[in-house]
Amino acid sequence: MQQAQQSILARVPLARILVPMLGGIGAAQWSESVIIPALIILAGVLLYAFLNWMVPHTPQWSMNVRPWWIVPIAAVSFGLGWINTSLNAPPSLNIQEIKGCMAQARVNDIYYSDRSMTIDATMLWAADRDGKLKLDRKHDISISTNGCNYNLEPGDLIMYECQLDTIKNMGNPDGFDMAQHMSRQGVLYSQHLPVTAIMVTGTSHTLITQCNKLKKQLISILFNTHTSAECQNFIAATLLGNSKFITPETRNTFAMAGISHILALSGMHVGVIMAIVWFLLFPLNYTRLRPLRFFITIIILAAYAVFTGMSPSVVRATIMMSIVVAGLMFHRKTLSLNSLALAAIIILLLYPSSLYSVGFQLSFATVAFLIIFNQQTFSKNLKKSSPILAWTFTLTMTSIIATASTIMLTAWYFNTISLLSVVGNVLVLPVFPILMVCAAIFLSLIACGIEIDWFSSIIDSMYNSIAWVARLTGENLPGYFGNVYVTSLDVVLYYIALVSIAVWLFNRRFKWMNLSLLFIALLFASQAYTTATTPRQGFVVFNNHTLTQILYFNNGHGILWIPDSDSDIESFILYNKRLLSHYKVNHIEMIEGKEGCAIGGMKVVCVGNGKWQRIKKLEHRIDVDLLVVTKKYHNSIDKLLEIYNPRKIILSGDIYKDNLEVFEQECITSGVPYYSIHSNGAYFTRPAHSK
């Protein structure tokens, strides 16, 4: 075993640094202290100096103590990952001290929706009414507005009254951890205000804002061309890195086909860009400036990574492509696990939180297992095959390996599994690079004010062919599984089994294969335990700032009730997919136009639209289990208690803050048990008869 481990480390020496660094980044989630990791780094340095001083410099002694040299390297790498993550954590802010102050911020990027917009901004300073400076340190914040200002651009300086709030989770069961996600993006605070409360005072551009402004201009030009709207959104996502325009329907269709990876910038996209640049610079090979071809390609790839937002997948691909280009120039081996580890180390040193990015995990897992299984299984055999058969077999095996390496991550993040992704990728991948090249040329032409109609039609046709394949394999053929729920333990067990198979391919010792079979058995046992212990029945009042959503589910069937607003089942399913997957809710029907109903054996009344006032005062109050108060209710709790006798009052999450405080105080005064969804998160219970 030791010999096998040494063989693996010899092939991937940078694993000695990468693996402990990953542990250090994880430890920083436990504590952001810099003292502990600094002591660990110091201990590693001292141990290295001790070994270097005590061990005789002879070949025999060097071989005997060689395994011990890993310890100081691992200690320093672990501490470096920890301390780097702690130093990159966003600084906290005393929001009470600056509340009500006038603040200035620089707009970094803008995202529009139907009647609102979200602004990624950097707050520069805040001062009170007397001009006394309360804040002079930069903080990244998120600003959401009522209404849109389409004249606002990245780089603009804005003034507003500071009323920041700490970003909190909604507290919905199996809900997305927005607070943690935004914290890893460097944002801890947000603010909501009317768009009329924002005043533009000037401009202050940075490299990021200049890139975002240029992207906005290119997207505006793109959307005025004769190509279809779906094709325009596709080009904006795959070339400009702005996937916000991809509709949920398109994203869902591509996900069902297992080809959603082409909708987001990744190594494949960067590879096409590199191929275009490398080809255009081929005349330099016939001059004495051949090395210049390498440097220009690297510079353009780096500029493209910055322009598109420095996502982990693009940065990883840029580093990998740089290594490939360098290998081509100097006739060296270009693609290896060691170069992939180098790319991961560089990204994690620059952006430690990238470790938790789904793009980082998917891209590195795919490339790592492609390198391992491609080199070990069929690369040598393909040389004996015909070129066409070799190309087809390589493409098929690549799709199978990519699917196997990411199937558990897609189940964890998206609650879906597509077994037909192999078919979709085999059909799409030959067309996609051609579309990317044509789209890049098309984008360059329209940026110069030139649009060729027949060229636009060709691009439209190629995109439509990809979309047709997505619909065919995703919607019309079996092999797609929605509502898939896996736990973090399942993910760990699966990848331990996959790594065990990879180790077996290195040394051909069947104990590693047996180990993989053991972990696969544990994976099935974990799934069986989760299924057996998950309740099949429940009642949920969700936390939502705009409406009240009530769900009752029982043995795979769900009833959705939204009494105070118009909504649709599709939107609800999209935003609560993990919850529905967890409790195996496969079918949902919607209740409309009711104020009260018996649901899950409970009498529930939802007030807010004024119909409750039509009920005349009775001799005995109406007994109800839950009385849900929404934002549309504009009277007192005492008025409701004259009619209803609730076991508990639920204060909806969409109630405005001032009204909520009044309702809470009235509930306390009346002595009726209440539950504030805004303060405590979603109300989740199991009806008594289901226990």
Side-chain angles (χ1 to χ4, degrees):
M1 181 176 177
Q2 183 177 353
Q3 184 179 358
Q5 290 176 344
Q6 289 178 349
S7 176
I8 295 172
L9 289 176
R11 299 187 187 201
V12 194
L14 287 179
R16 299 178 177 93
I17 299 175
L18 177 60
V19 175
M21 182 179 289
L22 298 179
I25 295 174
Q29 303 301 309
W30 166 68
S31 172
E32 293 184 356
S33 170
V34 297
I35 298 177
I36 299 176
L39 292 176
I40 294 175
I41 293 175
L42 179 61
V45 172
L46 292 177
L47 179 59
Y48 179 86
F50 175 78
L51 291 174
N52 192 51
W53 175 59
M54 290 293 295
V55 176
H57 296 281
T58 61
Q60 182 178 359
W61 273 98
S62 297
M63 291 299 296
N64 291 336
V65 301
R66 187 176 181 181
W68 292 99
W69 288 104
I70 300 177
V71 177
I73 295 174
V76 173
S77 301
F78 181 86
L80 183 62
W82 188 342
I83 200 170
N84 187 45
T85 305
S86 300
L87 293 176
N88 278 276
S92 58
L93 181 64
N94 187 352
I95 58 177
Q96 295 299 326
E97 184 181 359
I98 62 173
K99 187 157 287 190
C101 294
M102 293 302 296
Q104 185 180 66
R106 180 178 56 242
V107 177
N108 295 326
D109 210 348
I110 310 168
Y111 306 101
Y112 295 100
S113 58
D114 292 337
R115 299 177 183 177
S116 63
M117 63 181 183
T118 301
I119 303 172
D120 290 343
T122 300
M123 190 165 64
L124 304 177
W125 55 263
D128 60 19
R129 301 294 179 180
D130 298 328
K132 185 178 180 181
L133 203 62
K134 294 290 185 178
L135 175 72
D136 59 356
R137 184 178 179 181
K138 296 179 181 179
H139 287 78
D140 290 334
I141 60 172
S142 177
I143 301 175
S144 58
T145 67
N146 288 328
C148 298
N149 180 1
Y150 294 103
N151 294 321
L152 197 64
E153 293 187 346
D156 285 347
L157 295 176
I158 57 175
M159 292 281 292
Y160 58 95
E161 183 177 338
C162 187
Q163 297 289 341
L164 290 176
D165 290 313
T166 303
I167 297 176
K168 297 180 180 178
N169 291 323
M170 303 295 288
N172 292 320
D174 290 296
F176 180 66
D177 195 340
M178 178 59 72
Q180 188 179 69
H181 171 74
M182 295 300 292
S183 174
R184 288 169 178 168
Q185 303 298 317
V187 181
L188 296 178
Y189 308 100
S190 65
Q191 181 170 344
H192 184 78
L193 71 168
V195 70
T196 54
I198 296 178
M199 180 174 60
V200 180
T201 60
T203 58
S204 175
H205 285 294
T206 63
L207 180 60
I208 294 176
T209 60
Q210 288 281 21
C211 291
N212 290 335
K213 184 177 180 179
L214 179 58
K215 278 195 295 184
K216 183 180 177 182
Q217 293 172 351
L218 286 174
I219 290 172
S220 178
I221 296 172
L222 175 64
F223 285 178
N224 288 317
T225 61
H226 295 97
T227 52
S228 64
E230 288 190 357
C231 184
Q232 293 168 359
N233 297 338
F234 182 80
I235 294 174
T238 56
L239 277 179
L240 301 178
N242 197 330
S243 59
K244 299 286 184 180
F245 297 105
I246 299 294
T247 62
E249 293 78 13
T250 301
R251 197 181 300 275
N252 186 55
T253 300
F254 277 66
M256 291 174 65
I259 57 174
S260 59
H261 58 89
I262 70 174
L263 296 177
L265 277 174
S266 63
M268 182 166 50
H269 304 72
V270 177
V272 173
I273 299 297
M274 188 206 76
I276 295 173
V277 175
W278 189 254
F279 173 76
L280 293 176
L281 295 176
F282 80 92
L284 294 177
N285 274 11
Y286 302 99
T287 68
R288 294 182 179 180
L289 301 176
R290 187 171 182 269
L292 191 60
R293 189 184 187 189
F294 162 71
F295 292 109
I296 293 176
T297 303
I298 299 302
I299 291 172
I300 292 177
L301 289 180
Y304 181 73
V306 173
F307 175 72
T308 54
M310 295 288 288
S311 67
S313 58
V314 175
V315 174
R316 186 266 310 160
T318 300
I319 296 172
M320 290 297 294
M321 294 303 169
S322 300
I323 295 172
V324 169
V325 173
L328 292 173
M329 290 296 299
F330 302 109
H331 306 288
R332 300 283 185 178
K333 184 179 179 180
T334 57
L335 198 59
S336 66
L337 287 174
N338 208 45
S339 58
L340 185 66
L342 175 62
I345 291 171
I346 294 174
I347 292 176
L348 294 175
L349 286 175
L350 295 174
Y351 308 103
S353 60
S354 297
L355 175 62
Y356 304 100
S357 165
V358 58
F360 179 93
Q361 295 172 12
L362 287 173
S363 61
F364 274 91
T366 302
V367 176
F369 285 107
L370 278 174
I371 293 173
I372 293 172
F373 290 102
N374 184 47
Q375 291 178 349
Q376 297 295 325
T377 56
F378 58 88
S379 58
K380 296 181 180 179
N381 298 329
L382 289 177
K383 297 179 181 179
K384 303 177 182 179
S385 306
S386 64
I388 296 178
L389 181 61
W391 179 81
T392 305
F393 188 62
T394 301
L395 189 61
T396 303
M397 290 301 299
T398 299
S399 299
I400 292 174
I401 294 170
T403 300
S405 62
T406 59
I407 192 170
M408 192 57 71
L409 285 175
T410 55
W412 167 257
Y413 285 108
F414 309 114
N415 303 108
T416 59
I417 289 178
S418 177
L419 298 180
L420 286 177
S421 59
V422 176
V423 178
N425 281 284
V426 168
L427 295 175
V428 166
L429 291 182
V431 180
F432 180 73
I434 301 174
L435 174 57
M436 283 286 293
V437 173
C438 293
I441 297 173
F442 176 72
L443 202 60
S444 302
L445 290 175
I446 64 173
C448 300
I450 303 171
E451 183 182 1
I452 304 173
D453 290 340
W454 61 266
F455 194 44
S456 302
S457 300
I458 291 176
I459 293 175
D460 250 343
S461 300
M462 285 190 289
Y463 170 76
N464 290 333
S465 67
I466 293 176
W468 177 80
V469 170
R471 289 190 295 270
L472 174 66
T473 57
E475 299 176 358
N476 301 322
L477 297 178
Y480 172 80
F481 301 93
N483 280 14
V484 177
Y485 181 79
V486 297
T487 65
S488 56
L489 176 62
D490 297 335
V491 178
V492 172
L493 292 173
Y494 177 81
Y495 282 102
I496 290 178
L498 208 58
V499 169
S500 299
I501 295 174
V503 175
W504 171 75
L505 290 173
F506 272 110
N507 55 37
R508 302 294 179 177
R509 294 186 178 181
F510 279 95
K511 64 179 180 181
W512 290 101
M513 180 58 71
N514 295 334
L515 186 64
S516 68
L517 294 176
L518 171 63
F519 280 105
I520 291 174
L522 291 175
L523 172 61
F524 281 106
S526 174
Q527 275 285 297
Y529 175 79
T530 301
T531 302
T533 56
T534 299
R536 295 297 184 184
Q537 191 175 31
F539 177 88
V540 189
V541 184
F542 289 87
N543 187 6
N544 194 300
H545 294 324
T546 58
L547 48 83
T548 303
Q549 297 171 320
I550 301 173
L551 175 70
Y552 169 73
F553 60 89
N554 185 9
N555 291 324
H557 182 78
I559 299 175
L560 178 63
W561 181 24
I562 306 178
D564 61 348
S565 182
D566 295 328
S567 186
D568 58 277
I569 293 179
E570 288 73 19
S571 298
F572 175 81
I573 293 175
L574 178 65
Y575 290 104
N576 297 280
K577 198 165 189 177
R578 186 163 181 81
L579 168 71
L580 302 178
S581 302
H582 188 182
Y583 296 98
K584 309 300 180 187
V585 181
N586 301 312
H587 176 72
I588 297 179
E589 62 180 84
M590 193 167 180
I591 299 177
E592 296 181 355
K594 288 188 177 182
E595 185 172 300
C597 64
I599 183 171
M602 299 188 299
K603 295 179 181 178
V604 183
V605 172
C606 189
V607 296
N609 55 11
K611 292 183 179 180
W612 65 274
Q613 295 179 353
R614 301 175 188 175
I615 302 176
K616 295 181 180 179
K617 190 172 181 180
L618 305 175
E619 183 178 352
H620 298 288
R621 293 185 297 167
I622 302 173
D623 292 329
V624 295
D625 293 296
L626 294 177
L627 181 62
V628 182
V629 181
T630 71
K631 67 179 179 181
K632 293 185 177 181
Y633 180 70
H634 302 294
N635 215 313
S636 66
I637 297 295
D638 292 336
K639 285 289 185 181
L640 291 176
L641 295 180
E642 293 177 0
I643 301 174
Y644 300 106
N645 180 30
R647 294 177 59 188
K648 180 175 287 187
I649 293 177
I650 306 296
L651 302 178
S652 177
D654 62 354
I655 299 176
Y656 298 114
K657 188 175 181 180
D658 293 340
N659 295 339
L660 179 63
E661 294 175 353
V662 174
F663 289 155
E664 288 178 342
Q665 187 59 45
E666 290 177 347
C667 289
I668 294 173
T669 303
S670 63
V672 179
Y674 77 96
Y675 184 91
S676 174
I677 290 180
H678 184 274
S679 304
N680 303 305
Y683 178 77
F684 190 9
T685 185
R686 295 178 63 192
H689 71 274
S690 69
K691 295 181 181 178

